[in-house]
Amino acid sequence: MLHMYASATVGDLGRGVGADHCPVGTNAAPQPEKCAKGLISAPADLMEFVAGLPGREAARVLGLSKGSVGRLRQGYWPDDPRKVLQAWERYKASRGVVASGWFLRKVYAGGQVRHAGHAYTATGLAARTGQLLAVSRSADGGLLAQTLDLPAERLSLTQLGAPA
């Protein structure tokens, strides 16, 4: 049989046949029909949100049916939660929900950092003019700054006078 193709060019050879056309092809293991396609349970922030609003309002805001929101409130979590999770992510993105409490701020001349309409400073910031800091609220309500350039330092910021 090999001799009949010996003088054929590449274009003269027939097209190959895939495994799906063969009577005894090999296929990957079949996918189970009912398998989880996302999280096993609802995210805590979603459940808190749904419980905090009237059902009709939560359904309108999320773009889900009243029945879906009612089932969520009763603790039901669907096998395929992709639609619910997409609605929740879309809502969070539209509201600018911040997952982190850190903000990037620039150090201005004189070692000043501006945050929330106020000017702040700390010892040694004047030497870091033009650099960026990561700023967050500390446990006591003040501001904490982490330098991003080396040498890394963590500084407690103090407010300078009235709002800038």
Coordinates of all heavy atoms in Angstrom, one line a residue, residues 25-107:
G25 N -13.1 5.8 17.8 CA -12.2 6.9 18.2 C -12.0 6.9 19.7 O -12.6 6.3 20.5
T26 N -11.0 7.7 20.0 CA -10.7 7.9 21.5 C -11.2 9.3 21.9 O -10.9 10.3 21.2 CB -9.2 7.8 21.8 OG1 -8.5 8.8 21.0 CG2 -8.7 6.4 21.5
N27 N -11.9 9.4 22.9 CA -12.4 10.7 23.4 C -12.0 10.8 24.9 O -11.7 9.9 25.6 CB -13.9 10.7 23.3 CG -14.4 10.8 21.9 OD1 -13.7 11.3 21.0 ND2 -15.6 10.2 21.6
A28 N -12.0 12.1 25.3 CA -11.7 12.3 26.7 C -12.9 11.8 27.6 O -13.9 11.5 27.1 CB -11.5 13.8 26.9
A29 N -12.6 11.7 28.8 CA -13.7 11.3 29.8 C -14.8 12.2 29.7 O -14.7 13.4 29.6 CB -13.1 11.2 31.2
P30 N -16.1 11.7 29.7 CA -17.2 12.6 29.6 C -17.4 13.4 30.8 O -17.0 13.0 31.9 CB -18.4 11.6 29.5 CG -17.9 10.3 30.1 CD -16.4 10.3 29.8
Q31 N -17.9 14.6 30.6 CA -18.1 15.5 31.8 C -19.4 15.1 32.5 O -20.4 14.8 31.9 CB -18.2 17.0 31.2 CG -17.0 17.5 30.6 CD -15.9 17.7 31.7 OE1 -16.2 18.1 32.8 NE2 -14.7 17.4 31.3
P32 N -19.3 15.2 33.8 CA -20.6 14.9 34.5 C -21.6 16.0 34.2 O -21.3 17.1 34.0 CB -20.2 15.0 36.0 CG -18.8 15.6 36.0 CD -18.2 15.5 34.7
E33 N -22.9 15.6 34.2 CA -23.9 16.5 33.8 C -24.2 17.5 34.9 O -24.4 18.7 34.6 CB -25.2 15.7 33.5 CG -25.1 15.0 32.2 CD -26.4 14.3 31.9 OE1 -27.5 14.7 32.3 OE2 -26.4 13.3 31.1
K34 N -24.2 17.2 36.1 CA -24.5 18.1 37.2 C -23.3 18.3 38.1 O -23.1 17.5 39.0 CB -25.7 17.6 38.0 CG -27.0 17.6 37.2 CD -28.1 17.3 38.1 CE -29.4 17.4 37.3 NZ -30.4 18.1 37.8
C35 N -22.4 19.2 37.7 CA -21.3 19.5 38.5 C -21.3 21.0 38.9 O -21.9 21.8 38.2 CB -20.0 19.1 37.8 SG -19.7 20.0 36.3
A36 N -20.6 21.3 40.0 CA -20.6 22.7 40.4 C -19.8 23.5 39.4 O -18.7 23.1 39.0 CB -20.0 22.8 41.8
K37 N -20.2 24.7 39.1 CA -19.6 25.5 38.1 C -19.1 26.8 38.7 O -18.9 27.8 38.0 CB -20.5 25.8 36.9 CG -20.9 24.6 36.2 CD -21.9 24.9 35.1 CE -22.2 23.7 34.3 NZ -22.9 22.6 35.0
G38 N -18.9 26.9 40.0 CA -18.5 28.1 40.7 C -18.3 27.8 42.1 O -17.9 26.7 42.5
L39 N -18.5 28.8 42.9 CA -18.4 28.7 44.4 C -19.4 27.7 44.9 O -20.5 27.6 44.4 CB -18.6 30.1 45.0 CG -17.6 31.2 44.7 CD1 -18.0 32.5 45.3 CD2 -16.2 30.8 45.1
I40 N -19.0 27.0 46.0 CA -19.9 26.1 46.6 C -21.0 26.8 47.4 O -22.1 26.3 47.6 CB -19.1 25.1 47.5 CG1 -18.2 24.3 46.6 CG2 -20.0 24.2 48.3 CD1 -17.2 23.4 47.3
S41 N -20.6 27.9 48.0 CA -21.6 28.7 48.7 C -21.5 30.2 48.4 O -20.5 30.6 47.8 CB -21.4 28.5 50.3 OG -20.2 29.0 50.6
A42 N -22.5 30.9 48.8 CA -22.6 32.4 48.4 C -21.5 33.1 49.2 O -21.2 32.8 50.4 CB -23.9 32.9 48.8
P43 N -20.9 34.2 48.6 CA -19.9 35.0 49.3 C -20.7 35.8 50.4 O -21.8 36.1 50.3 CB -19.5 36.0 48.2 CG -19.9 35.4 46.9 CD -21.0 34.5 47.2
A44 N -20.0 36.0 51.5 CA -20.6 36.6 52.7 C -21.0 38.0 52.4 O -22.1 38.4 52.9 CB -19.6 36.6 53.8
D45 N -20.3 38.8 51.6 CA -20.7 40.1 51.3 C -21.9 40.2 50.5 O -22.8 41.1 50.6 CB -19.5 40.9 50.7 CG -19.0 40.3 49.4 OD1 -19.3 39.1 49.1 OD2 -18.2 41.0 48.7
L46 N -22.1 39.2 49.6 CA -23.4 39.1 48.8 C -24.6 38.9 49.7 O -25.6 39.5 49.6 CB -23.3 38.1 47.7 CG -24.6 37.8 46.9 CD1 -25.1 39.0 46.2 CD2 -24.3 36.6 46.0
M47 N -24.4 37.9 50.6 CA -25.5 37.5 51.5 C -25.9 38.7 52.4 O -27.0 39.0 52.7 CB -25.1 36.3 52.3 CG -25.0 35.0 51.5 SD -26.4 34.7 50.4 CE -27.6 34.3 51.7
E48 N -24.9 39.4 52.9 CA -25.1 40.6 53.7 C -25.9 41.7 52.9 O -26.8 42.3 53.4 CB -23.8 41.2 54.2 CG -23.9 42.3 55.2 CD -22.5 42.8 55.6 OE1 -21.6 42.0 55.8 OE2 -22.4 44.0 55.8
F49 N -25.5 41.9 51.7 CA -26.1 42.9 50.8 C -27.6 42.5 50.6 O -28.5 43.3 50.7 CB -25.4 43.0 49.5 CG -26.0 43.9 48.5 CD1 -25.9 45.2 48.6 CD2 -26.8 43.3 47.5 CE1 -26.5 46.1 47.7 CE2 -27.4 44.1 46.5 CZ -27.3 45.5 46.6
V50 N -27.8 41.2 50.2 CA -29.2 40.8 49.9 C -30.1 40.8 51.2 O -31.2 41.2 51.1 CB -29.1 39.3 49.3 CG1 -30.5 38.7 49.2 CG2 -28.5 39.4 48.0
A51 N -29.5 40.5 52.3 CA -30.3 40.6 53.5 C -30.6 42.0 54.0 O -31.6 42.3 54.7 CB -29.6 39.8 54.7
G52 N -29.7 43.0 53.6 CA -29.9 44.3 54.0 C -30.9 45.2 53.2 O -31.1 46.3 53.6
L53 N -31.3 44.6 52.1 CA -32.3 45.4 51.2 C -33.6 44.6 51.1 O -33.6 43.4 51.2 CB -31.7 45.6 49.8 CG -30.6 46.6 49.6 CD1 -30.1 46.5 48.2 CD2 -31.0 48.0 49.9
P54 N -34.7 45.3 50.8 CA -35.9 44.6 50.5 C -35.7 43.8 49.2 O -34.9 44.2 48.3 CB -36.9 45.8 50.2 CG -36.3 47.0 50.9 CD -34.9 46.8 50.9
G55 N -36.4 42.7 49.1 CA -36.1 41.7 48.0 C -36.3 42.4 46.6 O -35.5 42.1 45.7
R56 N -37.3 43.2 46.4 CA -37.6 43.8 45.2 C -36.4 44.8 44.8 O -36.0 44.8 43.6 CB -38.9 44.6 45.2 CG -39.3 45.2 43.9 CD -40.7 45.7 44.0 NE -41.6 44.6 44.3 CZ -42.8 44.5 43.9 NH1 -43.4 45.5 43.2 NH2 -43.6 43.5 44.2
E57 N -35.9 45.5 45.8 CA -34.8 46.5 45.5 C -33.6 45.7 45.2 O -32.8 46.1 44.3 CB -34.6 47.4 46.8 CG -33.5 48.3 46.6 CD -33.8 49.4 45.6 OE1 -34.9 49.6 45.2 OE2 -32.8 50.1 45.3
A58 N -33.2 44.7 45.9 CA -32.0 43.9 45.6 C -32.1 43.3 44.2 O -31.1 43.2 43.5 CB -31.9 42.8 46.7
A59 N -33.3 42.8 43.9 CA -33.5 42.2 42.5 C -33.2 43.3 41.4 O -32.6 43.0 40.4 CB -34.9 41.6 42.4
R60 N -33.8 44.4 41.7 CA -33.6 45.5 40.7 C -32.2 45.9 40.5 O -31.6 46.1 39.4 CB -34.5 46.7 41.1 CG -34.4 47.9 40.0 CD -35.1 49.1 40.6 NE -34.5 49.7 41.7 CZ -33.3 50.4 41.7 NH1 -32.7 50.6 40.5 NH2 -32.8 50.9 42.8
V61 N -31.5 46.1 41.7 CA -30.1 46.6 41.7 C -29.2 45.5 41.0 O -28.3 45.9 40.3 CB -29.7 46.9 43.1 CG1 -28.2 47.1 43.2 CG2 -30.4 48.1 43.6
L62 N -29.4 44.3 41.3 CA -28.5 43.2 40.8 C -28.9 42.8 39.4 O -28.1 42.1 38.7 CB -28.5 42.0 41.8 CG -27.9 42.2 43.1 CD1 -28.1 41.0 44.0 CD2 -26.4 42.5 43.0
G63 N -30.1 43.1 39.0 CA -30.6 42.6 37.7 C -31.0 41.1 37.7 O -30.9 40.5 36.7
L64 N -31.4 40.6 38.8 CA -31.9 39.3 39.0 C -33.4 39.3 39.2 O -34.0 40.3 39.5 CB -31.2 38.6 40.2 CG -29.7 38.5 40.1 CD1 -29.1 38.0 41.4 CD2 -29.3 37.5 39.0
S65 N -34.0 38.1 39.1 CA -35.4 38.0 39.4 C -35.7 38.1 40.9 O -34.8 37.8 41.7 CB -36.0 36.7 38.8 OG -35.5 35.6 39.5
K66 N -36.9 38.4 41.2 CA -37.3 38.5 42.6 C -37.2 37.1 43.2 O -36.8 36.9 44.4 CB -38.7 39.0 42.8 CG -38.8 40.5 42.5 CD -40.2 41.0 42.7 CE -41.1 40.5 41.6 NZ -42.5 41.0 41.7
G67 N -37.5 36.0 42.4 CA -37.4 34.7 42.9 C -36.0 34.3 43.2 O -35.8 33.6 44.2
S68 N -35.1 34.7 42.4 CA -33.7 34.3 42.6 C -33.2 35.0 43.9 O -32.5 34.4 44.7 CB -32.8 34.8 41.5 OG -33.1 34.1 40.3
V69 N -33.5 36.2 44.1 CA -33.1 36.9 45.3 C -33.8 36.3 46.5 O -33.2 36.1 47.6 CB -33.4 38.5 45.2 CG1 -33.2 39.2 46.5 CG2 -32.6 39.1 44.1
G70 N -35.1 36.0 46.4 CA -35.8 35.3 47.5 C -35.1 34.0 47.9 O -34.9 33.7 49.1
R71 N -34.7 33.2 46.9 CA -34.0 31.9 47.2 C -32.7 32.2 47.8 O -32.3 31.4 48.7 CB -33.9 31.1 45.9 CG -35.3 30.5 45.5 CD -35.1 29.5 44.4 NE -34.6 30.1 43.1 CZ -35.5 30.7 42.3 NH1 -36.8 30.8 42.5 NH2 -35.0 31.2 41.2
L72 N -32.0 33.2 47.4 CA -30.7 33.5 48.0 C -30.9 33.9 49.5 O -30.1 33.5 50.3 CB -30.0 34.7 47.3 CG -29.3 34.4 46.0 CD1 -28.9 35.7 45.3 CD2 -28.2 33.5 46.1
R73 N -31.9 34.7 49.8 CA -32.2 35.1 51.1 C -32.5 33.9 52.0 O -32.3 33.9 53.2 CB -33.3 36.1 51.2 CG -33.0 37.4 50.5 CD -34.1 38.3 50.4 NE -33.9 39.3 51.5 CZ -34.8 40.2 51.8 NH1 -36.0 40.3 51.1 NH2 -34.5 41.1 52.7
Q74 N -33.1 32.8 51.4 CA -33.4 31.7 52.2 C -32.2 30.7 52.3 O -32.4 29.6 52.9 CB -34.6 30.9 51.5 CG -35.9 31.7 51.6 CD -36.9 31.1 50.7 OE1 -36.7 30.1 50.0 NE2 -38.1 31.8 50.7
G75 N -31.1 31.1 51.7 CA -29.9 30.2 51.9 C -29.7 29.3 50.7 O -28.7 28.5 50.7
Y76 N -30.5 29.3 49.7 CA -30.3 28.5 48.5 C -29.2 29.0 47.7 O -29.1 30.2 47.4 CB -31.6 28.4 47.7 CG -31.4 27.7 46.4 CD1 -31.3 26.4 46.3 CD2 -31.3 28.5 45.2 CE1 -31.1 25.7 45.0 CE2 -31.1 27.9 44.0 CZ -31.1 26.5 43.9 OH -30.9 25.9 42.7
W77 N -28.3 28.2 47.3 CA -27.2 28.6 46.4 C -27.2 27.6 45.2 O -27.1 26.4 45.3 CB -25.8 28.5 47.1 CG -24.7 29.0 46.3 CD1 -23.6 28.3 45.8 CD2 -24.5 30.3 45.8 NE1 -22.8 29.1 45.1 CE2 -23.3 30.4 45.1 CE3 -25.2 31.5 46.0 CZ2 -22.8 31.5 44.5 CZ3 -24.7 32.7 45.4 CH2 -23.5 32.7 44.7
P78 N -27.4 28.1 43.9 CA -27.6 27.3 42.8 C -26.3 26.5 42.4 O -25.2 26.8 42.8 CB -27.9 28.3 41.7 CG -27.3 29.6 42.1 CD -27.4 29.6 43.6
D79 N -26.5 25.4 41.7 CA -25.4 24.5 41.2 C -24.6 25.3 40.2 O -23.4 25.1 40.1 CB -26.0 23.3 40.5 CG -26.5 22.3 41.5 OD1 -26.1 22.3 42.7 OD2 -27.4 21.5 41.1
D80 N -25.2 26.1 39.4 CA -24.5 27.0 38.4 C -24.7 28.4 38.8 O -25.6 29.1 38.3 CB -25.0 26.7 37.0 CG -24.2 27.3 36.0 OD1 -23.2 28.0 36.3 OD2 -24.5 27.2 34.8
P81 N -23.9 29.0 39.7 CA -24.1 30.3 40.2 C -23.5 31.4 39.3 O -23.4 32.6 39.7 CB -23.4 30.3 41.5 CG -22.3 29.4 41.3 CD -22.8 28.3 40.4
R82 N -23.1 31.1 38.1 CA -22.3 32.1 37.3 C -23.1 33.4 37.1 O -22.6 34.5 37.2 CB -22.0 31.5 35.9 CG -20.8 30.5 36.1 CD -20.5 29.9 34.7 NE -21.6 29.0 34.3 CZ -21.5 28.2 33.3 NH1 -20.4 28.2 32.5 NH2 -22.5 27.4 33.0
K83 N -24.4 33.3 36.8 CA -25.3 34.5 36.6 C -25.3 35.3 37.9 O -25.2 36.6 37.8 CB -26.7 34.1 36.2 CG -27.6 35.2 35.8 CD -28.9 34.8 35.3 CE -29.8 36.0 35.0 NZ -31.1 35.6 34.6
V84 N -25.5 34.7 39.0 CA -25.5 35.4 40.3 C -24.2 36.1 40.5 O -24.2 37.3 40.9 CB -25.9 34.5 41.4 CG1 -25.9 35.2 42.8 CG2 -27.3 33.9 41.2
L85 N -23.1 35.4 40.4 CA -21.8 36.0 40.6 C -21.5 37.1 39.6 O -20.9 38.1 40.0 CB -20.7 34.9 40.6 CG -20.8 33.8 41.7 CD1 -19.8 32.7 41.4 CD2 -20.5 34.5 43.0
Q86 N -21.8 36.9 38.4 CA -21.6 38.0 37.4 C -22.4 39.3 37.8 O -21.9 40.4 37.7 CB -22.0 37.6 36.0 CG -21.0 36.6 35.4 CD -21.5 36.0 34.1 OE1 -22.7 36.2 33.7 NE2 -20.7 35.2 33.5
A87 N -23.6 39.1 38.2 CA -24.5 40.2 38.7 C -23.8 40.9 39.9 O -23.8 42.2 39.9 CB -25.9 39.8 39.0
W88 N -23.3 40.1 40.8 CA -22.7 40.7 42.0 C -21.4 41.4 41.7 O -21.2 42.5 42.2 CB -22.4 39.6 43.0 CG -21.8 40.1 44.3 CD1 -20.7 39.6 44.9 CD2 -22.3 41.1 45.2 NE1 -20.4 40.3 46.0 CE2 -21.4 41.2 46.2 CE3 -23.4 42.0 45.2 CZ2 -21.5 42.1 47.3 CZ3 -23.5 42.9 46.2 CH2 -22.6 42.9 47.2
E89 N -20.6 40.9 40.8 CA -19.3 41.5 40.4 C -19.6 42.8 39.6 O -19.0 43.8 39.8 CB -18.5 40.6 39.6 CG -17.9 39.4 40.3 CD -17.0 39.8 41.5 OE1 -16.3 40.8 41.3 OE2 -17.1 39.2 42.5
R90 N -20.7 42.8 38.8 CA -21.0 43.9 38.0 C -21.5 45.1 38.9 O -21.2 46.2 38.8 CB -22.1 43.6 37.0 CG -22.5 44.6 36.0 CD -23.4 44.1 34.9 NE -24.5 43.3 35.4 CZ -24.7 42.0 35.2 NH1 -23.8 41.3 34.5 NH2 -25.7 41.3 35.7
Y91 N -22.3 44.7 40.0 CA -22.8 45.7 40.9 C -21.6 46.3 41.7 O -21.5 47.5 41.8 CB -23.8 45.1 41.9 CG -24.1 46.0 43.0 CD1 -25.0 47.0 42.8 CD2 -23.5 45.9 44.3 CE1 -25.3 47.9 43.8 CE2 -23.8 46.8 45.3 CZ -24.7 47.8 45.1 OH -25.0 48.7 46.1
K92 N -20.7 45.5 42.2 CA -19.5 46.0 42.9 C -18.7 46.9 42.1 O -18.2 47.9 42.5 CB -18.7 44.8 43.5 CG -19.4 44.1 44.6 CD -18.5 43.1 45.4 CE -17.7 42.2 44.6 NZ -16.9 41.2 45.3
A93 N -18.5 46.5 40.8 CA -17.7 47.3 39.9 C -18.3 48.7 39.7 O -17.6 49.7 39.6 CB -17.4 46.6 38.6
S94 N -19.6 48.7 39.5 CA -20.3 49.9 39.3 C -20.3 50.9 40.5 O -20.4 52.1 40.3 CB -21.8 49.7 38.8 OG -22.6 49.2 39.9
R95 N -20.2 50.3 41.6 CA -20.2 51.2 42.9 C -18.8 51.5 43.3 O -18.6 52.2 44.3 CB -20.9 50.5 44.0 CG -22.4 50.2 43.7 CD -23.1 51.6 43.7 NE -24.5 51.4 43.5 CZ -25.1 51.6 42.3 NH1 -24.5 52.0 41.3 NH2 -26.4 51.4 42.2
G96 N -17.8 51.0 42.6 CA -16.4 51.2 43.0 C -16.1 50.7 44.4 O -15.4 51.4 45.1
V97 N -16.6 49.5 44.7 CA -16.3 48.9 46.0 C -14.8 48.6 46.1 O -14.2 47.9 45.2 CB -17.1 47.6 46.3 CG1 -16.7 47.0 47.5 CG2 -18.6 48.0 46.2
V98 N -14.1 49.2 47.1 CA -12.7 49.0 47.2 C -12.4 47.8 48.0 O -12.9 47.6 49.1 CB -12.1 50.3 47.9 CG1 -10.6 50.2 48.1 CG2 -12.4 51.5 47.1
A99 N -11.5 46.9 47.5 CA -11.2 45.7 48.2 C -10.0 45.9 49.1 O -9.7 45.1 49.9 CB -10.8 44.6 47.2
S100 N -9.3 47.1 49.0 CA -8.2 47.4 49.8 C -8.4 48.7 50.4 O -9.0 49.6 49.8 CB -6.9 47.3 49.0 OG -5.8 47.8 49.7
G101 N -7.8 49.0 51.6 CA -7.9 50.3 52.2 C -6.6 51.1 52.0 O -6.4 52.1 52.7
W102 N -5.8 50.7 51.1 CA -4.6 51.5 50.8 C -4.7 52.4 49.6 O -5.4 52.0 48.6 CB -3.4 50.5 50.5 CG -3.0 49.7 51.7 CD1 -3.5 48.6 52.2 CD2 -2.0 50.2 52.7 NE1 -2.9 48.2 53.3 CE2 -2.0 49.2 53.7 CE3 -1.2 51.3 52.8 CZ2 -1.1 49.2 54.8 CZ3 -0.4 51.4 53.9 CH2 -0.3 50.4 54.9
F103 N -4.2 53.6 49.7 CA -4.2 54.5 48.6 C -2.8 55.0 48.3 O -2.0 55.1 49.2 CB -5.1 55.8 49.0 CG -6.5 55.4 49.4 CD1 -6.8 55.1 50.7 CD2 -7.5 55.4 48.5 CE1 -8.1 54.8 51.1 CE2 -8.8 55.1 48.8 CZ -9.1 54.8 50.1
L104 N -2.6 55.2 47.0 CA -1.3 55.8 46.6 C -1.3 57.3 46.7 O -2.2 57.9 46.2 CB -0.9 55.3 45.2 CG -0.6 53.9 45.0 CD1 -0.3 53.6 43.5 CD2 0.6 53.5 45.8
R105 N -0.3 57.9 47.3 CA -0.2 59.3 47.4 C 1.2 59.8 47.2 O 2.2 59.1 47.5 CB -0.6 59.8 48.9 CG -2.0 59.5 49.2 CD -3.0 60.3 48.4 NE -4.4 60.1 48.7 CZ -5.2 59.5 47.9 NH1 -4.8 59.0 46.8 NH2 -6.5 59.3 48.3
K106 N 1.4 60.9 46.5 CA 2.7 61.5 46.2 C 3.2 62.4 47.3 O 2.4 63.1 48.0 CB 2.5 62.3 44.9 CG 3.8 62.9 44.4 CD 3.6 63.6 43.1 CE 4.9 64.3 42.7 NZ 4.7 65.0 41.4
V107 N 4.5 62.4 47.6 CA 5.1 63.3 48.6 C 5.5 64.6 47.8 O 6.2 64.6 46.9 CB 6.4 62.6 49.2 CG1 7.0 63.6 50.2 CG2 6.0 61.3 49.8

